[in-house]
Amino acid sequence: MSDPIAFIDLAAQQARIRDKVDVAIAKVLDHGMYINGPEILELEAQLGTFSGSEHVIGCASGTDALGLVLMARGLRPGDAVFVPAFTFIATGEAVAWLGATPVFVDVDPRTFNMDPRHLEASIASAKEQGLKPACVIAVDLFGQPADYPALKDICDAEGLFLLADAAQSYGGALANNRVGSLGDAATTSFFPAKPLGCYGDGGAIFTDDADMADHIRSLRNHGAGADRYDNVRIGMNGRLDTIQAAILIEKLVIFEEELVSRQRIAERYNAALEDVATVPFVGNAAKSAWAQYTLRVADRDAVRARCQDAGIPTQVYYPIPLHRQTAYKHYPTGPGGLPVCDALAADVLSLPMHPYLDEATQDRIIEGVRSAIAG
């Protein structure tokens, strides 16, 4: 009987660095600064160096990261924030927190990222509905950066803030600019399954705007001012734990090597599956972090069931787009509906992807997927 296949093998990575992680955690336990310990500043500096961002603010999750940026921008009811509907709920959720209106935009059928042409139409439609366009949140789905040059041109023409939701793409790049330096600000998640993940929740915000960075540092700590008991604005408890920062510092040491492995694994999948499925498209200027490896297949649910019977784990991200979820159905969509989001929700299928996927196991996955597609 074959060994079970891990969809994401965090245990293999942990085995590689466990001794270093144990030392890092023990150091935190010894100094006892569990909140705002020295590892926080160390991690923020290393993330800034890696991404080319002047200011990095660690926080409690990728969702909090989005919320903190929008709070710093003073988002309020009546403001429209343009969000792709084919993504995880956090992107729209952070907008709704503040009473603003998420306007759901369709995506490109090849990259799965926000469609700039539909964004333009959605902005015009929102104005006609009496909303005030304020911000665009571009999601780098499955690891590939969105089309930031095109989105930036639209945002500049309309006077909109461009926020990069890089929860899945840290480690990726576009035209030699690394994720974290794209958009007017960027956020990421350190959820354990992400390309760079901790052992709990965590996130970070990236910006070159010093004033915004100071504002966000205050917001993540209850709106604190110079005097810890004089809170100068309404904030939240959005701090990153010191132990998680210590773990991430050790993971950063091997991160570049892991990104190379992810790229190699994606290329092997592409070569083996491009004749039976629609394999991921990555633009010439883009480098994906390969948070997920996602195919488009006909009769997806049947293919997935046959994979399960063969012992091949798969996942579906995302079977219900945001504009069709119960709590978000009442929010507006761009004109013409979101046909690409709906189509993707019906036919995407993600395969095991992690840096420790050996060729023999990957070949077993490929064989099982090809057989499942053939029926």
Side-chain angles (χ1 to χ4, degrees):
M1 183 175 178
S2 300
D3 292 335
I5 296 173
F7 187 76
I8 297 175
D9 194 350
L10 295 177
Q13 183 198 55
Q14 185 183 122
R16 177 181 177 185
I17 60 173
R18 178 62 183 265
D19 57 338
K20 296 179 176 61
V21 168
D22 284 346
V23 170
I25 292 174
K27 183 178 177 182
V28 177
L29 296 179
D30 287 342
H31 66 55
M33 297 177 65
Y34 308 121
I35 305 295
N36 293 333
E39 287 81 0
I40 299 292
L41 290 177
E42 182 180 350
L43 173 66
E44 290 173 344
Q46 291 185 15
L47 293 171
T49 298
F50 185 93
S51 65
S53 304
E54 291 187 18
H55 303 279
V56 180
I57 305 100
C59 58
S61 70
T63 310
D64 280 0
L66 291 167
L68 284 163
V69 174
L70 297 178
M71 289 171 69
R73 292 293 301 173
L75 210 65
R76 57 181 55 85
D79 288 344
V81 179
F82 301 89
V83 177
F86 191 64
T87 183
F88 184 62
I89 194 60
T91 313
E93 181 181 36
V95 178
W97 276 353
L98 301 178
T101 301
V103 178
F104 295 119
V105 180
D106 213 358
V107 298
D108 182 276
R110 295 196 302 170
T111 66
F112 307 164
N113 288 329
M114 183 179 281
D115 181 347
R117 291 174 298 178
H118 196 245
L119 171 62
E120 288 183 299
S122 300
I123 293 170
S125 177
K127 290 178 180 178
E128 292 172 358
Q129 296 175 56
L131 295 169
K132 178 185 176 183
C135 178
V136 172
I137 305 181
V139 176
D140 302 341
L141 203 71
F142 302 147
Q144 177 176 191
D147 187 353
Y148 286 99
L151 297 175
K152 181 64 172 169
D153 286 346
I154 295 168
C155 288
D156 287 348
E158 295 286 348
L160 305 182
F161 187 82
L162 178 57
L163 175 57
D165 181 346
Q168 300 181 18
S169 66
Y170 194 73
L174 187 64
N176 297 318
N177 295 309
R178 276 184 157 157
V179 166
S181 65
L182 304 170
D184 295 318
T187 63
T188 198
S189 167
F190 299 129
F191 182 79
K194 304 299 184 186
L196 181 64
C198 55
Y199 292 154
D201 275 318
I205 299 158
F206 304 80
T207 180
D208 290 340
D209 185 329
D211 290 338
M212 173 177 279
D214 286 343
H215 192 163
I216 291 170
R217 290 188 184 99
S218 169
L219 287 170
R220 74 168 173 181
N221 191 27
H222 300 288
D227 184 323
R228 64 176 295 189
Y229 292 112
D230 181 20
N231 295 290
V232 297
R233 53 180 60 89
I234 305 299
M236 62 190 290
N237 180 7
R239 299 168 302 206
L240 178 66
D241 290 341
T242 306
I243 285 177
Q244 300 300 344
I247 292 165
L248 286 164
I249 288 168
E250 295 305 326
K251 289 198 173 192
L252 262 175
V253 174
I254 60 173
F255 189 46
E256 290 272 25
E257 181 182 331
E258 290 185 335
L259 290 169
V260 171
S261 296
R262 287 177 180 272
Q263 180 64 32
R264 182 183 67 251
I265 290 162
E267 289 173 357
R268 291 191 83 244
Y269 271 142
N270 284 350
L273 297 171
E274 61 185 355
D275 64 324
V276 296
T278 303
V279 300
F281 170 84
V282 178
N284 290 334
K287 174 185 176 183
S288 179
W290 294 108
Q292 305 293 345
Y293 181 87
T294 304
L295 302 170
R296 298 187 70 179
V297 296
D299 201 9
R300 189 266 314 284
D301 293 341
V303 170
R304 189 179 187 204
R306 288 192 285 267
C307 284
Q308 183 176 1
D309 290 343
I312 308 301
T314 61
Q315 294 289 340
V316 175
Y317 307 101
Y318 298 93
I320 307 177
L322 270 58
H323 68 294
R324 298 199 179 278
Q325 295 191 27
T326 301
Y328 295 83
K329 289 178 181 178
H330 65 286
Y331 289 115
T333 63
L338 309 181
V340 178
C341 291
D342 288 333
L344 292 174
D347 66 17
V348 291
L349 186 69
S350 296
L351 306 184
M353 166 56 79
H354 59 83
Y356 302 94
L357 184 60
D358 61 82
E359 291 189 359
T361 304
Q362 188 179 16
D363 288 343
R364 180 179 155 201
I365 295 167
I366 289 166
E367 180 182 357
V369 171
R370 289 184 65 90
S371 177
I373 293 172

